[in-house]
């Protein structure tokens, strides 16, 4: 008996290698790694935005920054 092919919901983001992210999504459609709502958001030394997944709030390196 053939079982129906089940597909698991996946994050909508594309990885650096060009593949769809394999992690399960949050309600936003993005995983905890790609969802800006749960990333640090602090400013790194080079001026780029810090994208460390913290669950919301600043990471350890940026807590004292603000």
């Amino acid at each position: 008996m053939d079982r129906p092919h089940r597909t698991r919901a996946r994050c909508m983001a594309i990885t650096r290698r060009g593949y769809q992210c394999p992690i399960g999504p949050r309600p936003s459609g993005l995983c905890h790694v790609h969802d800006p709502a749960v990333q640090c958001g602090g400013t790194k030394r080079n001026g780029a935005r810090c994208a460390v997944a913290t669950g919301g709030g600043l990471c350890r390196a940026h807590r004292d920054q603000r």
Side-chain angles (χ1 to χ4, degrees), residues 38-44 49-66:
V38 294
Q39 293 175 350
C40 171
T43 305
K44 298 192 301 186
R49 185 180 164 282
C50 180
V52 172
T54 62
L58 299 174
C59 69
R60 189 178 333 165
H62 294 111
R63 280 190 199 129
D64 297 331
Q65 185 182 37
R66 293 186 183 166

Side-chain angles (χ1 to χ4, degrees), residues 4-64:
H5 180 69
R6 292 185 182 165
T7 57
R8 182 175 73 105
R10 292 171 55 175
C11 174
M12 295 185 307
I14 302 299
T15 65
R16 291 179 186 168
R17 292 186 178 200
Y19 301 107
Q20 185 179 6
C21 178
I23 302 172
R26 299 174 35 79
S28 66
L30 298 170
C31 69
H32 68 282
V33 175
H34 293 111
D35 191 348
V38 294
Q39 293 175 350
C40 171
T43 305
K44 298 192 301 186
R45 289 182 186 181
N46 65 1
R49 185 180 164 282
C50 180
V52 172
T54 62
L58 299 174
C59 69
R60 189 178 333 165
H62 294 111
R63 280 190 199 129
D64 297 331

